[in-house]
Amino acid sequence: LISMFHEFADVKMAEDLNLPVPDYRVEVVKAQPSPLQLKIVDALAKRAENVRNGNPARRSPDADEKTKKGMDNILTVMRDGMNASLDPRILNPNYKDFAGSKVNLCVQNILGIYHETSEQKSTQLVFCDLSTPKGKNGGFTVYDDIREKLIKGGVSEEEIAFIHDYDKTEEKKKLFEKVRQGKVRVLLGSSDKLGVGTNVQDKLIATHDLDCPWKPSQLEQRLGRIVRRGNENKNVKIFRYVTDSTFDSYMWQTVERKARFIGQVMKSHTSVRSAEDCDE
């Protein structure tokens, strides 16, 4: 299969090209779960077991047991698990903010780098696919929470932007220009909206992965925003945040398994008859 694939595909991996890009270091920031998060994880495990045993709970009063419409399912359990790992307030805005959450650890890192690089006007990207902006009066979102905390920490409101607020191509071009100039110093967005076609690398000093996307390609696109030609910084950081003992472990392991397989197939030579067990 690899031989057939290479008959029409000329594959070059990043390490083969030796492009003039900044050196980068990935730093995993691990947050300890709050007691509430541990309770939610236990409840999710019970929900998943009920689904597997064919006894799902009702998610709405008008749930139909015959068609399973409105009944609990594994995808719903996983979505709630991912949200709980990020911030339980996504599930219930009445929950209290946990000081040791990965969102708060991310805010601390952003503020530290922001103040350290104020002279150079270095910029940062925050990637988060969950709890995206919902507009005015849309309820709690992690995006709004981060912005409020950054403003309290000394970042001016004009220096923070959400990619979701810029729908038109011309608006995005103007936004990206502001990021390249260091006028917008913290840009938040999802993998899809802030991935392909986002050229803002000029002053990027750090990126923050608040959650784990489903596909390795989305992770590659996140990395490619900062490890890119045209960046004035020679050394950059990629922060990846995980909450211990939650769905974060499952998500990162799943993406690693997919990436390992893809990486081996893409860079394998036709003479290779077996694939190694590990990959970066």
Side-chain angles (χ1 to χ4, degrees):
L1 285 173
I2 292 173
S3 298
M4 293 168 64
F5 176 66
H6 281 280
E7 283 180 7
F8 64 86
D10 182 19
V11 178
K12 295 292 182 186
M13 305 298 284
E15 57 266 27
D16 300 327
L17 299 175
N18 195 29
L19 295 171
V21 296
D23 291 328
Y24 70 93
R25 182 163 64 90
V26 176
E27 184 173 328
V28 178
V29 180
K30 185 168 73 170
Q32 293 303 315
S34 68
L36 174 61
Q37 285 173 316
L38 292 176
K39 285 183 181 179
I40 293 173
V41 169
D42 287 341
L44 291 169
K46 292 176 183 176
R47 283 172 55 189
E49 187 176 354
N50 289 335
V51 171
R52 282 195 298 268
N53 293 335
N55 187 32
R58 294 174 181 268
R59 288 192 288 116
S60 61
D62 57 345
D64 186 348
E65 292 190 18
K66 290 184 179 179
T67 63
K68 300 298 181 184
K69 185 178 180 181
M71 306 296 286
D72 209 1
N73 58 67
I74 290 296
L75 285 177
T76 304
V77 173
M78 291 186 67
R79 184 189 64 202
D80 289 348
M82 291 160 64
N83 283 329
S85 301
L86 180 59
D87 194 316
R89 288 178 296 170
I90 302 171
L91 303 178
N92 186 341
N94 294 320
Y95 288 145
K96 291 184 179 180
D97 187 16
F98 179 54
S101 72
K102 66 177 181 178
V103 172
N104 287 323
L105 293 179
C106 177
V107 170
Q108 290 173 20
N109 284 332
I110 295 171
L111 287 173
I113 294 171
Y114 172 85
H115 292 299
E116 286 172 11
T117 61
S118 57
E119 190 175 331
Q120 307 95 294
K121 292 190 177 296
S122 298
T123 57
Q124 303 176 67
L125 297 182
V126 181
F127 289 98
C128 186
D129 293 349
L130 301 170
S131 192
T132 52
K134 301 173 183 176
K136 292 182 179 180
N137 303 319
F140 173 84
T141 71
V142 166
Y143 279 67
D144 293 325
D145 187 55
I146 291 174
R147 177 165 57 187
E148 289 174 12
K149 289 171 178 173
L150 290 178
I151 293 172
K152 286 181 181 178
V155 184
S156 68
E157 190 171 354
E158 294 75 24
E159 292 179 310
I160 307 168
F162 300 163
I163 188 67
H164 302 77
D165 294 336
Y166 300 82
D167 293 326
K168 297 179 181 178
T169 304
E170 286 303 315
E171 292 177 344
K172 287 181 181 178
K173 284 182 180 179
K174 291 179 182 178
L175 170 64
F176 295 161
E177 183 61 29
K178 287 182 179 180
V179 179
R180 288 194 292 270
Q181 293 172 354
K183 293 179 180 178
V184 170
R185 295 190 57 196
V186 182
L187 177 58
L188 295 88
S190 60
S191 301
D192 291 336
K193 288 186 176 289
L194 202 54
V196 181
T198 305
N199 297 313
V200 293
Q201 67 273 14
D202 299 38
K203 290 182 173 293
L204 275 181
I205 192 69
T207 60
H208 305 263
D209 294 321
L210 258 182
D211 55 13
C212 181
W214 280 106
K215 296 183 287 187
S217 59
Q218 291 174 311
L219 208 56
E220 287 290 329
Q221 287 298 331
R222 289 182 179 188
L223 181 71
R225 296 315 96 207
I226 187 169
V227 183
R228 193 177 183 88
R229 296 175 67 177
N231 192 327
E232 65 183 38
N233 297 298
K234 293 183 178 180
N235 297 284
V236 298
K237 277 187 177 182
I238 288 88
F239 293 93
R240 288 177 178 160
Y241 299 85
V242 296
T243 304
D244 200 18
S245 304
T246 66
F247 263 67
D248 280 347
S249 299
Y250 172 80
M251 288 298 298
W252 283 106
Q253 288 167 4
T254 300
V255 168
E256 182 197 15
R257 187 169 61 250
K258 294 176 183 177
R260 185 186 303 146
F261 171 77
I262 294 167
Q264 289 174 14
V265 172
M266 295 297 276
K267 66 186 178 185
S268 291
H269 301 288
T270 53
S271 58
V272 175
R273 307 305 300 172
S274 62
E276 292 187 20
D277 190 41
C278 293
D279 185 270
E280 281 190 12

